[in-house]
Amino acid sequence: MSDAVALAPRAAKVDLAGWWIAPPLIVLALLFLYPLTLIARAALIDDSGGLNLAAAFEVLDSRAFLDALLNTAEIAVASTAGCVVLGLTLGLILAFAPFPGAGLVARIVDTFIALPTFLVTLAFTFLYGSAGILNGALTSGLGLDHPPVDFLYSAWGVVLAEVTVYTPFVLRPLLAAFSLVDRSQIEVASLLGARPLRIVRQVILPAALPAIVAGGSLCLLLTVNEFGIVLFIGAKGVITLPLLIYDKAIQESDYQAACAIAMVNVALSLGLFGLYRFAARRLGG
Amino acid sequence: MTAAAAFHTAADSVAPKAPAGSGVTFDRVSVAYRGAVVLKPLTMTVAAGEILAMIGPSGSGKTTALRAVAGFVRPASGRIYIGGTDATDLPPCERGLAMVVQNYALFPHMRVSENVAFGLKARGAGRDLIARRVEESLRIVGMSQYSRRFPRELSGGQQQRVAIARALAVRPRVLLLDEPLSALDAQIRRAMVEEVARLHADLPDLTILYVTHDQSEALTLADRIAILKDGELSAIGRTGELYHRPPNRFAAEFLGRANLLPVVVEGKARDHGFVGVRIGDAKVVVSGDDHPAGSRRLMCVRPQNLTLTGDAERSNSIEAELREIHWQGELTHLVAAIGESILRVVATRLPNPPARGDRLSFFFSPSDANLIVEEAGV
Ligand SMILES: Nc1ncnc2c1ncn2[C@@H]1O[C@H](COP(=O)(O)OP(=O)(O)OP(=O)(O)O)[C@@H](O)[C@H]1O
Ligand SMILES: [Mg+2]
């Protein structure tokens, strides 16, 4: 008897908790899952409204798609590598060989996270563009006919802009990890005879590895999906997946093709995210 | 041949230049942080093969002095010599030293054996030498069976042994220890102190500079003790000498909480090296000379050198009123009052415990008491 009395309110509470979860789940589904399923649907169904896998596969087998996939991968990997190298170098200097004003530099680099990505690209155009400051100075200084510096309108320009924009995403977790490295470990190591490079390799980097992996995968994720920078630079022949999707959907109004490519892009992103989670878990524990 | 003997006869040292067991000389070394002087010009020598303990209250500059030897801070003035050569401008990695710190600072992602091998690899030792040294060093600290473990899989005491092995593996010219045992609990600490003592007995050439705030560690281990106070060397001397004849009030109180009673010198006693003094009405004989009659001094006598029964040797007696009595297992602590002064007594055996308020006679030997000039030193 007393048991039943004690149990009844608890059951009611559990029910209530269950209902609380429902609204956010519905919002989540509406916001994220529904658009995804729409895209998936659009990828597989042609204008007539029938299932058409052949069209989707045709898009994925095209030269344009494969080129874009390759471009995306190359640019993302190169940019991420650049971000990691630059982030590591900056981070090591800021954390372990601070100069007067190092804190200010770290904060300025940090604020880059807040800026829109195309802003840097715009600035690059002013600096290195065909009518930019550098080319202007060179053409008038050396009396040339053509602007000599044209790397900006190539994959290199995209990589340079992405490295500038995304390095803070590596630097920030790195600085956090570096600040946790036990200074006495570094001192003991140096007294044992280790020079700075060995200390970086064997003492600091192993401690910062999770941060490097986390920052690096975040960079990879962001650069795979980068749209604004590639569009703004507008280099001929540098077409990445997001840009191809844009072209198909907006320029050619070929929604099925756009959605089919988008699915690949989503799969790529989710795969990278899964890898990142896996690495983070392995390294964290 | 014991492990330790093998350890020191092998000729294949990878330490830079000088052989293991060099001394350290501070020559007017001062250190300042952003203009604030935390170590005033310090001159002292740690002899090769000796254990010198640096003790002093928190913030007195012990760690700073050690860090100057290691090369982690640049002296504002003065020179530091290691093994007779000027090391003031050498980077830490070229000083041929090793250090053990309070939090062990083991490399967490390396196994025990890799931790111990670290310094040898950094100094470019060959693979055979590394293997042999790692094995020897771990055996000396009794950690051979743990070589495959990671630091997080060890207890605090075991981690500290590994840290010591890591330092020993490179055969440092001087081993620097900064409160190496203070993170351990009392029981393990006592065992580890004995172990460090054994270690030094096995490696008699090893020079050790040992920073601690625990005076019992210093008394147990050190050949000599340096007492720092407010960034200044207050006293330095052989351990027993410093303990029995502290040169100043601070040394007397810091090292073993001596009783300091104001006295007036009466004059030389009959035996050479002793003087008669007056405490209130009582007249006692204490060791000392060169104290002019009529001058005021502090008489220093240790709590454990006072007893409730006299004999031929404990010929001095003073009367005091018992204020407190604390029984602590084997020892009983008594606090008594002589006029304005407090007298602390530690008794080992008390068949008939006195009561508070009793007037008691305390006895001590003339050679267990000495005089301090109140203003001497710091
Ligand atoms: N990096 C630093 N910057 C500024 N002041 C410092 C620095 N390191 C130490 N000090 C100051 O120097 C003085 C001596 O410090 P030190 O660490 O040598 O003391 P210690 O004798 O080792 O004390 P403890 O027993 O607490 O370890 C202290 O007043 C401390 O505040
Ligand atoms: Mg200290």
Side-chain angles (χ1 to χ4, degrees):
Chain A
M1 177 68 209
S2 63
D3 278 353
V5 169
L7 279 176
R10 195 179 299 162
K13 235 180 227 165
V14 168
D15 269 357
L16 202 68
W19 281 111
W20 267 107
I21 291 173
L25 274 185
I26 290 169
V27 171
L28 221 70
L30 276 176
L31 279 178
F32 296 102
L33 291 179
Y34 183 57
L36 267 183
T37 49
L38 276 187
I39 291 175
R41 216 176 84 98
L44 303 175
I45 289 174
D46 65 13
D47 297 340
S48 64
L51 188 69
N52 187 348
L53 289 177
F57 279 115
E58 195 182 319
V59 173
L60 300 189
D61 201 27
S62 69
R63 190 72 249 159
F65 168 77
L66 291 176
D67 280 349
L69 187 62
L70 201 65
N71 267 339
T72 308
E74 279 174 0
I75 290 177
V77 168
S79 301
T80 302
C83 287
V84 168
V85 169
L86 187 62
L88 267 178
T89 315
L90 273 177
L92 286 170
I93 293 172
L94 291 175
F96 298 107
F99 46 90
L104 188 69
V105 170
R107 214 155 311 145
I108 289 172
V109 172
D110 246 12
T111 51
F112 265 63
I113 290 181
L115 299 179
T117 60
F118 58 80
L119 207 72
V120 173
T121 324
L122 203 59
F124 272 30
T125 317
F126 285 137
L127 280 173
Y128 313 116
S130 44
I133 294 171
L134 184 63
N135 272 319
L138 286 177
T139 38
S140 63
L142 304 174
L144 301 171
D145 296 337
H146 295 288
V149 178
D150 64 351
F151 75 90
L152 191 59
Y153 305 107
S154 69
W156 287 113
V158 176
V159 169
L160 188 69
E162 289 190 353
V163 167
T164 312
V165 169
Y166 290 118
T167 294
F169 290 79
V170 180
L171 185 60
R172 183 177 271 200
L174 267 182
L175 283 178
F178 287 163
S179 73
L180 293 179
V181 174
D182 182 3
R183 299 293 143 139
S184 55
Q185 276 177 26
I186 296 173
E187 290 178 350
V188 165
S190 71
L191 211 53
L192 285 171
R195 286 168 197 287
L197 247 142
R198 178 181 291 267
I199 294 176
V200 167
R201 255 189 307 119
Q202 301 194 339
V203 180
I204 296 174
L205 286 191
L209 196 58
I212 298 172
V213 170
S217 4
L218 186 62
C219 254
L220 207 55
L221 205 61
L222 292 170
T223 49
V224 160
N225 293 321
E226 180 56 45
F227 177 64
I229 291 177
V230 189
L231 188 71
F232 243 79
I233 289 199
K236 227 180 264 136
V238 183
I239 305 288
T240 60
L241 285 181
L243 213 63
L244 190 62
I245 295 168
Y246 173 78
D247 277 353
K248 291 284 182 208
I250 307 302
Q251 317 278 18
E252 301 174 21
S253 295
D254 184 351
Y255 284 102
Q256 192 182 6
C259 288
I261 301 166
M263 287 319 290
V264 174
N265 205 338
V266 167
L268 202 60
S269 303
L270 287 179
L272 281 174
F273 186 69
L275 208 67
Y276 159 61
R277 296 292 310 179
F278 177 73
R281 193 140 11 101
R282 281 294 299 271
L283 292 165
Chain B
M1 191 178 349
T2 67
F7 191 88
H8 257 268
T9 45
D12 40 16
S13 172
V14 288
K17 290 138 261 174
S22 321
V24 177
T25 299
F26 294 80
D27 180 15
R28 286 162 291 162
V29 174
S30 72
V31 175
Y33 289 114
R34 274 177 239 103
V37 176
V38 297
L39 188 67
K40 293 171 193 155
L42 169 67
T43 299
M44 68 175 193
T45 295
V46 189
E50 102 174 322
I51 302 185
L52 184 120
M54 255 198 282
I55 64 172
S58 188
S60 56
K62 309 181 291 292
T63 298
T64 303
L66 206 66
R67 293 174 63 80
V69 177
F72 302 148
V73 292
R74 248 203 88 78
S77 68
R79 312 299 298 173
I80 290 167
Y81 299 87
I82 300 171
T85 53
D86 190 341
T88 319
D89 299 319
L90 285 183
C93 60
E94 286 172 21
R95 296 195 177 200
L97 309 174
M99 185 161 176
V100 177
V101 294
Q102 187 177 351
N103 68 351
Y104 324 130
L106 294 176
F107 307 125
H109 50 276
M110 294 183 201
R111 293 178 191 280
V112 164
S113 55
E114 294 163 331
N115 263 282
V116 177
F118 181 89
L120 292 160
K121 283 193 189 140
R123 294 179 187 196
R127 199 193 297 182
D128 292 347
L129 179 63
I130 293 177
R132 201 167 65 238
R133 285 280 186 83
V134 168
E135 211 239 86
E136 277 170 14
S137 308
L138 283 176
R139 195 169 33 174
I140 286 179
V141 297
M143 288 294 292
S144 301
Q145 67 273 43
Y146 297 97
S147 66
R148 301 290 302 156
R149 295 252 188 118
F150 283 98
R152 61 172 179 275
E153 300 166 340
L154 301 174
S155 74
Q158 291 169 334
Q159 289 186 44
Q160 198 54 299
R161 280 167 219 232
V162 174
I164 293 173
R166 177 177 63 180
L168 291 178
V170 297
R171 295 204 192 153
R173 305 153 84 182
V174 181
L175 179 60
L176 307 174
L177 299 158
D178 191 359
E179 312 213 7
L181 309 182
S182 57
L184 304 173
D185 66 47
Q187 215 167 350
I188 300 173
R189 187 153 65 220
R190 227 168 298 138
M192 286 294 289
V193 167
E194 284 164 20
E195 239 166 273
V196 174
R198 195 161 341 137
L199 178 81
H200 192 250
D202 285 348
L203 306 172
D205 292 344
L206 187 63
T207 311
I208 298 181
L209 189 50
Y210 192 108
V211 164
T212 176
H213 61 244
D214 182 325
Q215 46 141 326
S216 75
E217 279 174 30
L219 290 170
T220 311
L221 288 176
D223 298 309
R224 287 193 306 149
I225 294 179
I227 304 177
L228 290 186
K229 184 195 176 200
D230 299 335
E232 230 172 316
L233 187 64
S234 170
I236 183 167
R238 303 209 65 78
T239 302
E241 178 81 5
L242 203 62
Y243 183 82
H244 291 296
R245 270 176 292 283
N248 55 47
R249 182 177 193 134
F250 186 74
E253 281 177 335
F254 195 79
L255 203 59
R257 280 185 100 192
N259 290 300
L260 294 171
L261 303 171
V263 298
V264 177
V265 177
E266 295 257 279
K268 280 201 193 312
R270 236 178 312 133
D271 296 319
H272 181 70
F274 290 91
V275 288
V277 300
R278 198 153 40 75
I279 309 176
D281 302 329
K283 287 182 182 175
V284 295
V285 175
V286 302
S287 57
D289 29 37
D290 289 344
H291 297 285
S295 56
R296 298 182 168 279
R297 292 290 184 267
L298 290 171
M299 183 183 80
C300 166
V301 57
R302 302 275 163 190
Q304 67 277 23
N305 289 336
L306 289 155
T307 56
L308 283 165
T309 48
D311 53 29
E313 199 190 329
R314 296 185 181 82
S315 51
N316 290 318
S317 97
I318 46 177
E319 245 185 36
E321 184 187 311
L322 190 62
R323 289 279 169 83
E324 294 165 35
I325 176 162
H326 303 285
W327 181 75
Q328 290 183 355
E330 301 146 56
L331 301 176
T332 305
H333 292 246
L334 307 173
V335 180
I338 302 181
E340 304 283 283
S341 317
I342 290 294
L343 190 67
R344 288 170 200 283
V345 179
V346 176
T348 39
R349 222 164 40 83
L350 276 183
N352 311 308
R356 279 168 53 179
D358 287 358
R359 278 200 81 75
L360 301 172
S361 288
F362 293 97
F363 299 88
F364 61 95
S365 149
S367 54
D368 284 337
N370 58 297
L371 298 180
I372 291 171
V373 181
E374 178 137 26
E375 292 78 25
V378 281

